[in-house]
Amino acid sequence: MKHKPLSKLFLVFCLVLSAQWAEAQNAFEPLFEKANQLYEEGQFEELLALEKDLISQSAGQADTTLANMYYYLGDAAYALGDLDLAIKHFEKEKSFRAKNIDNPDDYEALLSSLAMIYRENGNYKAAVSTYQEVLSFDSTHFEANDPRIPDTWLAMSRAYEEEGSYADSEKIYKRLLKQLKSTDPLYLNALSNLGNLYVLMGKYSLATKYLDQALSGYASSEGMQSPSYVGVQVNKAGLFREMGKYPEAEELYLSVLTSISKEVDPSYEEMYPFVLNNLALLYRGMGRYDESLKLLADLKKLEEEKYGAEHPTLAITYINIAIVLEDKGDMAKAEENYKKAQDIVAANLGKEHMLYATAINNLATNYRKTKRYKQALPLVDQARTISVKNFGKNSPIYAQYTYNLGLLYFTLNDLKKAEPLLKEAYKTRQQELGLSHPKVGETANKMAVFYWEKGDFKSAEKEFKNTFDNYFTQIEAYFPFMSEQEKAKFYNNKLRVSFEEFNSYAVSRASENAPLLGDLYTYQLQTKALIMYATNKVRENILNSGDSTLVRMYESWIAQKEQLSKLYSFSKADLKAQGINMDSLLIEANLLEKELSKRSSLFGETYTKNSITWKDVQKQLKAGEAAIEMIRFREFTPDSSGYFSGAVKYAALMITPESKSPKLILIENGTDLESKFLANYRNSIRFKIEETYSYEKFWAPIAQHLTGIKRVYFSPDGVYNQISLNTLYNPATNRYVLDEIQVLLVLNTKDLLSAEAQASPRSQGQATFFGFPNYNKGLNEDAALAQSNAQKIANTVSLDRGLRGSLQRYISSNQLLALLPGTKAEVEGISALYAKENIKTQTLLGDNALEEQVKQVNNPSTLHIATHGFFMEDIPDADGDENKYVENPLLRSGLILAGANSYLSGDETDVDQDGILTAYEAMNLNLDKTDLVVLSACQTGLGQVKNGEGVYGLQRSFQIAGAKAVIMSMWSVDDQATQELMTAFYSEWLSGKSKQEAFRDAQISIKEKYKSPFYWGAFVMVGE
């Protein structure tokens, strides 16, 4: 008799029906025949309707007959999705077949199938136990080289993996890789599975290694269009997504979709919706919401065609669609999709299922975001009740719903109901997740705000400290291998918001608790420029060092950091189940870190932890000196669970050698500074109007506290990155700031502690100069001809070098860049000055002023680049939504070099060398021994104005690359004045003066000829 397969996941085996039942003359015989017929026809619901009668009338039947009966019932239950009932009947089948094993193949297949169902039902211990039973059976019934044996080991390893017993799973995979021949298909399967396991363990380097080996093996044995190869590609794309390498993940997912669309292999039928879903979620992470929604719509259509419109699978897709719609801001449509998911789950799985809890909790979040708090309350409360029934009160899921409920009551200002819920969530998360878990940091932050609102300031300060301790632990774990994009996302969406909250708190409490200002200053030292770890540069430096021991140590350290970052998101129960001792791993990683620091100074400078406080900065100050940290922050109110009012304030924290704590100079009209007052300043510069308003607004509040101070180390923030302080005119003295006090700009006042911060002699190495780039290099003749008119103008006027606005505008409109003949004279003049001093120089002009040449510079003493600069305007922040996409601002400013017009006109031939050097690319230049970088181009000093990040543009990138100081422009620069200023500066510097003295003296001398600061004040020096 022919039977349908147990399922597409099961190994197929044939059942041999005993003839005993055919001879039986009782009521069971016709009932069993009917059951057999219904099974053959696939009428499983009708078959299960006979279950009670079949079992009640089966007494006295032969074991084989009973085994077949339970097989029919079990497979029918499985087909209908009732796994508990299926397991019950398959276990009965097993008990009868075990009495008389006349066909070992069939019995082995039964055990394997039962183990598979245990896995699918989440009963991993039973699955592992059954697989062990299979192995024991195989050892006595089959040859040692039977392929079913390693296949069972593989399946058991997957069960361990799904259970969370990663160490046991890893042991099996490694054992199989030693035992199997590399030509065995199961060998490649083990390679791929081990790679996936390492993704789960956070060992991304090892995951890459094994997945790549599997890809290579399948490419050779089955071809690059085979389901096996494509399946590993999907896993590799998932690895890229975990690592934050979104462009690489997207490319691989799209490649997979292309492969699937061209093939008819049935294996792709299951893979296709999986890839669609993952690519949609990737696009959501990249902020490409419309593309994400389109893919999810395609997925929903596929699922409806396959399962029907009310299948539980659709509920998950509806939830994902709703989440993306919320990200996009369409809260009404998101609500509709959440409700649809809620209805589907209720109808199919019931209102006690955890998927139902997820659906209503997400709907409650939608209500909270749209300020419908009272509608949200009962939903979160219901989700919390469901989680207790499923997991108990000592579970992270219960803690999440408890936290959400407490947050709602806090938002409603019902502190009495909010407090016990928030405390319970906090305690549970600490106990179950550990103090370093991100969720514990999240709760500590909210507890700090809660206590602030309650007036319990001692507890508020304790929880702010707990919050930041948690965040710095995460930074130490995550940043070494994060992509620049992921660093920006972590900092801007999560960390920055919490520090802004603390800024408001500290300022509001400063009069009662002055030491808070010391904490505020110290946190600023620790977080300013935080995301500018030069991780790519460190990696390239080590990998190209030729030191194999150093390379091995570095790769091991990265692997450890990857694993630790993953483990921080595990609960204590997860760690215990896997036998992982976090303390031992941390000690091991720290020891390796110390060894790496000894072998690589660049590694040590980038990663060595130094707990610098404001008092350390104070120790570096001499009499008559002050250090000022500017802090831009939005006003935060703890009421209603906390919110930003929108008002921007600036806190100038000043320390002198005599300070007992930092002095707070609060400038409350920050919003006006960034709008009308900045506009007034720019207009006065642009139109060369002498005005006194800007001094009063930007500098006077600070200047009144500088009595007796001759030198200020000033670390700007926010709008203070967009003005040149020296150009502010004091009406009371009729002098510019340049004439009144020496202001030295620094990225962070902790830079005073570095050895480079002290005055050092000018390096005697080679200087490199770039100028007059031929933007038309590689341009076709028609486009070049169209450029000629612009060039005629360039030859007769003093050209504005600014390209303010979006670079995309130039690309879309094909507006080409005019050449800058003034930069040729500028560079040649400076080169001549160096020649007089017998200093070796390299001058690259015209076709040779290439992006590629800039990238190849190797620690010149001076790097001077005279060309167009560009800066794309600011973009909105994510304001604390940790899932929100953040565009990397390092890609929004840069320098234009030879061949750029080819790119702008769409005629480019080399995408990697497009003539546009972005700040992101500049960050990885080799400038560790470079005294000075001069960016003689318009607006190179501008970049995204980020709270705590200063000018997030070229200036910072060149300093991260190693330059001790950077000279940059703040507005459109006049060619002639620039040439004179630069010539004057280099003359003064080469004569033996320090960079700062030479630059200040050059500005003063140019000021004698050009009275307006438009000419002499555009450039600023930042750094040593």
Side-chain angles (χ1 to χ4, degrees):
M1 182 176 294
K2 182 179 178 182
H3 295 280
K4 293 183 178 180
L6 187 61
S7 85
K8 55 192 167 190
L9 298 175
F10 288 2
L11 297 172
V12 180
F13 67 94
C14 299
L15 295 174
V16 179
L17 300 180
S18 170
Q20 295 177 356
W21 72 269
E23 299 172 357
Q25 300 296 320
N26 54 33
F28 179 77
E29 180 177 349
L31 197 60
F32 185 80
E33 287 181 350
K34 184 176 181 181
N36 178 47
Q37 181 182 354
L38 292 172
Y39 180 80
E40 289 288 339
E41 295 173 352
Q43 300 185 47
F44 300 126
E45 291 182 357
E46 291 81 353
L47 171 56
L48 286 180
L50 301 177
E51 176 187 14
K52 185 176 180 180
D53 291 339
L54 280 168
I55 294 173
S56 65
Q57 297 183 35
S58 65
Q61 297 298 314
D63 292 338
T64 303
T65 301
L66 292 172
N68 289 337
M69 178 190 75
Y70 282 113
Y71 167 72
Y72 292 151
L73 293 172
D75 203 30
Y78 179 83
L80 294 173
D82 191 338
L83 299 185
D84 290 330
L85 183 59
I87 288 171
K88 173 185 173 183
H89 289 313
F90 284 136
E91 286 176 342
K92 292 289 290 184
E93 178 195 2
K94 173 190 168 186
S95 68
F96 285 113
R97 295 202 190 281
K99 295 178 181 179
N100 182 24
I101 304 175
D102 54 355
N103 189 328
D105 291 330
D106 287 353
Y107 188 71
E108 200 268 357
L110 167 63
L111 290 177
S112 297
S113 298
L114 183 56
M116 181 67 78
I117 298 182
Y118 283 138
R119 279 176 58 192
E120 196 171 341
N121 201 36
N123 191 346
Y124 304 117
K125 291 189 183 300
V128 168
S129 177
T130 305
Y131 281 129
Q132 290 171 338
E133 187 179 349
V134 174
L135 290 170
S136 177
F137 180 84
D138 290 350
S139 66
T140 58
H141 289 80
F142 305 120
E143 298 292 331
N145 61 352
D146 192 292
R148 282 173 289 195
I149 295 175
D151 199 41
T152 301
W153 278 110
L154 276 173
M156 185 164 72
S157 184
R158 290 296 305 275
Y160 274 130
E161 177 184 317
E162 290 159 352
E163 183 186 27
S165 300
Y166 295 158
D168 292 322
S169 179
E170 182 183 18
K171 288 177 184 176
I172 294 175
Y173 287 137
K174 287 185 173 180
R175 172 182 170 184
L176 287 172
L177 290 175
K178 288 181 179 179
Q179 292 178 345
L180 295 170
K181 295 180 179 179
S182 60
T183 55
D184 192 320
L186 292 178
Y187 178 87
L188 295 177
N189 197 338
L191 273 178
S192 176
N193 287 355
L194 183 56
N196 292 335
L197 176 67
Y198 282 138
V199 174
L200 295 174
M201 295 174 73
K203 297 182 177 182
Y204 299 136
S205 298
L206 286 173
T208 301
K209 172 184 174 182
Y210 285 103
L211 289 176
D212 284 346
Q213 288 181 15
L215 283 171
S216 178
Y218 281 127
S220 300
S221 62
E222 300 181 20
M224 296 175 68
Q225 298 301 319
S226 67
S228 299
Y229 182 88
V230 174
V232 181
Q233 279 187 307
V234 173
N235 296 333
K236 183 73 180 290
L239 168 63
F240 282 143
R241 184 176 157 215
E242 281 287 313
M243 296 173 72
K245 295 183 176 181
Y246 292 166
E248 292 91 337
E250 178 190 13
E251 182 180 359
L252 211 44
Y253 279 135
L254 291 175
S255 174
V256 166
L257 287 177
T258 300
S259 298
I260 291 175
S261 65
K262 294 178 180 178
E263 300 294 328
V264 294
D265 192 299
S267 302
Y268 289 136
E269 185 180 346
E270 293 297 320
M271 194 183 300
Y272 186 71
F274 177 79
V275 176
L276 276 184
N277 183 70
N278 282 9
L279 183 56
L281 297 180
L282 177 70
Y283 282 150
R284 183 218 169 192
M286 297 174 77
R288 292 158 61 177
Y289 304 127
D290 289 335
E291 292 169 88
S292 178
L293 289 170
K294 183 181 183 306
L295 290 175
L296 289 171
D298 292 342
L299 177 62
K300 182 169 76 75
K301 183 179 178 181
L302 281 176
E303 291 172 340
E304 286 174 340
E305 291 172 353
K306 183 174 182 179
Y307 304 115
E310 302 300 318
H311 194 275
T313 301
L314 270 295
I316 298 173
T317 303
Y318 277 116
I319 290 174
N320 286 339
I321 290 173
I323 290 171
V324 179
L325 285 168
E326 280 190 341
D327 289 337
K328 193 180 176 184
D330 194 338
M331 306 303 288
K333 285 188 179 178
E335 180 183 356
E336 292 175 12
N337 281 273
Y338 281 136
K339 286 182 175 179
K340 183 64 177 176
Q342 177 187 1
D343 293 341
I344 290 174
V345 177
N348 289 272
L349 303 175
K351 295 185 178 182
E352 299 298 320
H353 197 278
M354 277 308 301
L355 186 56
Y356 186 80
T358 299
I360 61 175
N361 180 70
N362 285 357
L363 180 58
T365 300
N366 179 278
Y367 288 153
R368 179 176 62 80
K369 289 179 178 178
T370 52
K371 300 184 179 181
R372 291 177 287 173
Y373 306 120
K374 292 185 178 179
Q375 287 177 259
L377 277 172
L379 293 177
V380 178
D381 197 25
Q382 186 181 1
R384 182 168 174 257
T385 301
I386 295 170
S387 71
V388 172
K389 293 179 180 177
N390 283 271
F391 299 107
K393 289 190 174 183
N394 294 324
S395 78
I397 294 176
Y398 172 78
Q400 179 65 58
Y401 293 145
T402 301
Y403 174 79
N404 291 352
L405 189 59
L407 189 59
L408 273 171
Y409 280 120
F410 186 10
T411 305
L412 290 167
N413 286 317
D414 191 338
L415 303 188
K416 187 175 181 181
K417 288 183 179 178
E419 185 167 10
L421 291 166
L422 291 173
K423 283 183 175 179
E424 182 183 8
Y426 195 21
K427 182 179 179 181
T428 302
R429 283 177 165 176
Q430 288 175 316
Q431 291 176 342
E432 300 300 319
L433 301 176
L435 297 180
S436 300
H437 196 281
K439 289 294 183 183
V440 173
E442 172 192 57
T443 319
N445 183 216
K446 191 54 64 178
M447 292 303 301
V449 176
F450 177 85
Y451 287 128
W452 178 8
E453 172 64 10
K454 189 181 177 183
D456 184 350
F457 302 122
K458 183 177 180 181
S459 295
E461 287 152 28
K462 175 186 174 183
E463 294 307 335
F464 271 125
K465 183 180 184 303
N466 288 339
T467 300
F468 300 144
D469 286 347
N470 176 280
Y471 284 174
F472 286 127
T473 299
Q474 292 183 58
I475 290 164
E476 183 186 344
Y478 298 157
F479 271 39
F481 62 88
M482 265 185 174
S483 68
E484 303 305 323
Q485 187 62 62
E486 286 297 293
K487 288 179 203 169
K489 181 177 176 181
F490 177 86
Y491 177 78
N492 285 289
N493 297 1
K494 189 173 186 180
L495 190 69
R496 182 174 65 84
V497 174
S498 300
F499 277 104
E500 277 197 281
E501 294 171 2
F502 178 75
N503 293 344
S504 277
Y505 175 81
V507 168
S508 69
R509 293 278 302 150
S511 59
E512 289 83 16
N513 188 355
L516 278 174
L517 296 177
D519 295 336
L520 183 58
Y521 197 114
T522 296
Y523 283 137
Q524 185 75 351
L525 295 178
Q526 293 173 334
T527 60
K528 211 168 192 177
L530 182 66
I531 60 179
M532 296 299 290
Y533 277 85
T535 50
N536 289 340
K537 184 176 178 182
V538 174
R539 180 178 181 276
E540 292 302 317
N541 181 278
I542 290 177
L543 294 182
N544 295 324
S545 66
D547 186 338
S548 58
T549 302
L550 176 62
V551 171
R552 283 196 302 272
M553 290 172 65
Y554 176 74
E555 290 177 342
S556 296
W557 180 75
I558 285 293
Q560 287 178 339
K561 285 294 186 179
E562 289 172 345
Q563 183 182 17
L564 283 168
S565 71
K566 190 77 173 182
L567 296 178
Y568 277 127
S569 64
F570 283 20
S571 67
K572 287 183 177 180
D574 292 334
L575 294 172
K576 185 177 180 180
Q578 294 185 39
I580 293 173
N581 186 322
M582 283 284 284
D583 291 336
S584 296
L585 289 175
L586 285 168
I587 291 171
E588 186 179 345
N590 288 336
L591 289 173
L592 192 53
E593 195 169 291
K594 289 179 181 178
E595 287 300 312
L596 279 165
S597 295
K598 291 178 184 178
R599 285 179 169 267
S600 169
S601 58
L602 181 59
F603 179 93
E605 291 168 8
T606 305
Y607 293 118
T608 299
K609 299 179 290 296
N610 294 314
S611 299
I612 296 173
T613 72
W614 72 271
K615 292 183 178 180
D616 296 312
V617 175
Q618 183 185 42
K619 291 174 184 176
Q620 304 302 312
L621 297 175
K622 300 181 178 67
E625 292 185 341
I628 296 178
E629 279 288 349
M630 289 300 298
I631 304 176
R632 175 195 187 273
F633 63 98
R634 293 170 297 166
E635 186 176 46
F636 182 81
T637 302
D639 179 51
S640 303
S641 80
Y643 61 91
F644 289 101
S645 67
V648 174
K649 297 184 178 183
Y650 281 84
L653 295 182
M654 185 178 83
I655 54 177
T656 65
E658 301 76 33
S659 299
K660 298 234 186 304
S661 64
K663 175 187 285 292
L664 171 65
I665 304 167
L666 184 62
I667 302 173
E668 302 204 46
N669 60 339
T671 305
D672 288 339
L673 287 181
E674 295 177 356
S675 53
K676 61 183 181 181
F677 297 150
L678 177 60
N680 175 74
Y681 171 78
R682 286 176 168 171
N683 285 332
S684 70
I685 293 292
R686 179 184 177 188
F687 297 109
K688 306 175 184 63
I689 301 171
E690 185 176 298
E691 59 90 31
T692 60
Y693 204 54
S694 296
Y695 181 93
E696 175 191 341
K697 299 301 180 183
F698 289 102
W699 191 244
I702 297 171
Q704 62 182 304
H705 297 280
L706 295 176
T707 302
I709 301 298
K710 296 180 180 179
R711 174 182 289 179
V712 175
Y713 296 99
F714 187 84
S715 176
D717 198 6
V719 72
Y720 283 85
N721 286 302
Q722 301 208 35
I723 62 173
S724 177
L725 290 175
N726 281 335
T727 64
L728 301 180
Y729 187 76
N730 184 353
T733 62
N734 293 319
R735 300 168 74 198
Y736 289 98
V737 171
L738 175 70
D739 304 311
E740 292 187 330
I741 191 170
Q742 186 179 17
V743 179
L744 299 181
L745 298 181
V746 292
L747 288 177
N748 187 319
T749 54
K750 74 177 179 181
D751 294 345
L752 297 180
L753 277 72
S754 67
E756 288 83 11
Q758 310 308 317
S760 58
R762 181 178 51 78
S763 171
Q764 297 302 308
Q766 174 180 284
T768 301
F769 307 119
F770 289 84
F772 192 45
N774 179 14
Y775 306 126
N776 297 328
K777 178 179 170 61
L779 197 65
N780 65 51
E781 292 184 4
D782 290 338
L785 183 62
Q787 175 72 3
S788 62
N789 289 334
Q791 186 55 45
K792 289 176 183 177
I793 298 173
N795 289 332
T796 58
V797 301
S798 182
L799 188 69
D800 181 334
R801 299 183 193 178
L803 295 180
R804 188 168 187 77
S806 172
L807 183 63
Q808 195 63 43
R809 174 166 59 87
Y810 293 94
I811 296 172
S812 63
S813 65
N814 288 334
Q815 177 179 331
L816 302 183
L817 301 163
L819 304 185
L820 298 173
T823 63
K824 183 173 184 291
E826 175 185 327
V827 167
E828 289 176 339
I830 297 168
S831 182
L833 290 174
Y834 272 71
K836 286 182 182 179
E837 300 295 326
N838 295 316
I839 300 174
K840 187 178 179 181
T841 63
Q842 179 187 28
T843 302
L844 298 160
L845 301 168
D847 286 353
N848 295 318
L850 293 162
E851 174 192 4
E852 183 179 6
Q853 291 289 344
V854 177
K855 290 179 178 178
Q856 290 177 1
V857 297
N858 187 15
N859 294 304
S861 61
T862 302
L863 176 62
H864 185 110
I865 306 175
T867 184
H868 281 302
F870 75 87
F871 161 59
M872 298 185 194
E873 296 290 0
D874 207 351
I875 52 176
D877 285 326
D879 286 335
D881 183 349
E882 60 187 86
N883 293 313
K884 197 81 168 180
Y885 175 72
V886 176
E887 185 176 1
N888 189 341
L890 286 173
L891 298 174
R892 299 177 65 80
S893 61
L895 298 174
I896 310 296
L897 293 153
N901 276 340
S902 295
Y903 175 70
L904 296 178
S905 67
D907 191 36
E908 76 276 7
T909 57
D910 186 349
V911 176
D912 292 328
Q913 304 299 328
D914 50 27
I916 298 170
L917 181 78
T918 65
Y920 178 83
E921 293 169 309
M923 185 174 62
N924 296 301
L925 297 177
N926 293 315
L927 303 176
D928 297 295
K929 298 178 182 178
T930 299
D931 288 329
L932 177 67
V933 170
V934 179
L935 305 178
S936 182
C938 171
Q939 298 164 344
T940 49
L942 299 179
Q944 275 194 298
V945 178
K946 284 292 184 181
N947 183 1
E949 281 305 299
V951 178
Y952 197 177
L954 281 173
Q955 162 247 342
R956 176 146 298 157
S957 293
F958 277 99
Q959 288 198 275
I960 291 299
K964 296 180 178 64
V966 177
I967 291 177
M968 59 186 190
S969 57
M970 303 300 292
W971 55 77
S972 302
V973 187
D974 176 85
D975 257 355
Q976 185 61 36
T978 297
Q979 290 177 43
E980 294 182 32
L981 175 66
M982 291 300 164
T983 300
F985 163 68
Y986 281 108
S987 295
E988 298 282 358
W989 188 29
L990 293 175
S991 72
K993 293 181 180 180
S994 70
K995 289 191 292 289
Q996 291 88 351
E997 287 178 310
F999 184 68
R1000 189 165 186 263
D1001 288 347
Q1003 284 189 311
I1004 291 173
S1005 67
I1006 296 300
K1007 186 161 70 76
E1008 294 301 315
K1009 179 178 180 180
Y1010 299 98
K1011 301 301 181 183
S1012 171
F1014 172 81
Y1015 297 101
W1016 57 262
F1019 286 91
V1020 296
M1021 178 185 287
V1022 180
E1024 178 194 329

